[in-house]
Amino acid sequence: MKEVEVKFIASDGAIPPVYKTKGAAGADVCALLDKDLVLRQGERAAVPTGLFVEVPEGYEIQVRPRSGLAFKNGITVLNTPGTIDSDYRGELMVILANFGMEAFTVKNGDRIAQVVLAPVLQAAFVQAESLSQTERGKGGLGSTGV
């Protein structure tokens, strides 16, 4: 598997991103909290990680939910996948949302999301007078079936 170096700074007490298995695409990131954070049903919060990353140009880091939290507790990353651009130098925050049936407590050090490094291409948007025709055409939002 190809490795790309991503520099990071960890605040005191922050846990560095870690891949739990050799074949994992996502590295777990953890909450860095002074006190427990309770997310009631339907609530959302930006959860700090204490991590600051330098994503190489031509890449992004995607912030994604952890499947276990989503399945067991209804906890997800609200803007999934969140994007950390190569020119961002602020703290990696995770927007967690509780779609579960009960309140959920996030504790310091809890694994709250996973991050995936992905290549990025920028489009050269070209204004045109017309677009090519396709079978689908203007059909959207369910036009190809359920």
Side-chain angles (χ1 to χ4, degrees):
M1 190 175 300
K2 180 181 176 183
E3 285 189 359
V4 175
E5 183 177 283
V6 176
K7 295 178 184 175
F8 73 94
I9 294 173
S11 300
D12 286 344
I15 300 170
V18 63
Y19 293 99
K20 289 295 186 180
T21 64
K22 183 178 178 182
D28 289 340
V29 292
C30 300
L32 180 63
L33 300 169
D34 293 329
K35 61 181 181 175
D36 291 354
L37 170 67
V38 177
L39 285 175
R40 289 173 181 70
Q41 185 180 17
E43 287 186 331
R44 61 187 176 274
V47 181
T49 65
L51 300 173
F52 301 80
V53 294
E54 184 176 320
V55 179
E57 189 173 327
Y59 291 87
E60 68 168 328
I61 285 183
Q62 297 177 356
V63 182
R64 300 180 182 181
R66 293 192 59 245
S67 59
L69 283 180
F71 180 70
K72 294 174 186 173
N73 304 103
I75 303 300
T76 191
V77 174
L78 189 58
N79 61 326
T80 189
T83 293
I84 301 173
D85 298 303
S86 64
D87 58 352
Y88 177 67
R89 294 297 183 270
E91 183 176 6
L92 191 162
M93 303 287 284
V94 177
I95 304 171
L96 288 184
N98 183 354
F99 291 110
M101 303 306 287
E102 300 174 5
F104 181 80
T105 302
V106 181
K107 298 179 180 299
N108 184 53
D110 282 355
R111 295 181 296 155
I112 56 170
Q114 57 184 326
V115 291
V116 175
L117 182 68
V120 171
L121 297 174
Q122 286 190 334
F125 293 99
V126 178
Q127 189 169 351
E129 297 294 321
S130 64
L131 303 176
S132 63
Q133 298 296 311
T134 67
E135 182 180 334
R136 181 177 180 177
K138 293 181 182 179
L141 297 181
S143 65
T144 59
V146 179

